[in-house]
Amino acid sequence: MKGPISQFLERNFLHFNAATVVDAAKGYEAHLTAGGKMLVSLAGAMSTAELGISLAEMIRQGKIDIISCTGANLEEDIMNLVAHSHYKRIPKYRDLTPQDELNLLKNKYNRVTDTCIPEEEAFRKIQHHIEKIWKDAEAKSERYFPHEYMYKLLLSGVLQDEYEIDPKNSWMLAAAERNLPIVVPGWEDSTMGNIFASYVIKGELKASTVKSGIEYMVWLANFYEKNSVGHGIGFFQIGGGIAGDFSMCVAPMLEQDLEKDNIQKWRYYCQITDSTTSYGSYSGCIPNEKITWGKLDVDTPSFVIESDATIVAPLIFAWILGQ
């Protein structure tokens, strides 16, 4: 029996984008019920939007098998975990002048739409600990992926006394406890990636101590080939950009570049986006275009929800969780 949120959706979400929300949720559920696996990709600033409140429970209940995310989403969930009380919300952010923005910077606040991340309490609090983990690994001639370093940070317990939210609302903590596979394309453009690069420039660390995006793709190819059997792997894409395209490309790479036979394409696809279809936009391209690139099949159940992911994703997750 579905809970009140799901009942509300089924009763009221009957047309247009609303109907697609219910169709996509049912498709996701059907894919898992049939024995398929699911990749969720996170673009934008979903962690700062506190998507972890619903995403963490999806991870705990085994509704997600792998995540592809930006470096920002990887680190910002942990920042929110340890610095939440220091965040500043600016509901009237549209009214800010350039001087207002400069004043925020001078006070060490970095704005993401209506939410400002506190540099000292968030970035620097993590930097102190992650620097030690990087340098300890290098001293032992060990190399890890960006998310593996974050898992080490969380599972070490060094941040535990710093938690400022209920830890059950941190998706990264849920992922670390489950050792959920994550790929983080373009990690070097994140704050922690920039900090790591600064240590490389200063000669304190080697670039090779953190595994690269190419190594992520090689790992993902192996994961995809092993798991795209039976009902295969679905793709639930929140936003667009590199978090989505990097992972989606693995299917055609295996088939076209490695010339492997019997490689299944993605077996479910849903994207929540506010990007329009125009002028070469990947984020706004419709599912049919992905067929021409060998990413989706003609019969792949596909959905596009043109809306705000911070509204839509928690509703779909609520349906899948039976809430």
Side-chain angles (χ1 to χ4, degrees), residues 56 165 184 188 236 245 257 281:
I165 63 169
V184 190
E188 50 279 354
F236 187 82
D245 199 27
D257 302 322
S281 163

Side-chain angles (χ1 to χ4, degrees), residues 41-43 68 185 235 237 239-249 282:
S41 75
L42 301 175
S68 174
F235 202 108
Q237 183 172 344
I242 193 172
D245 199 27
F246 178 90
S247 297
M248 186 156 276
C249 284
Y282 170 74

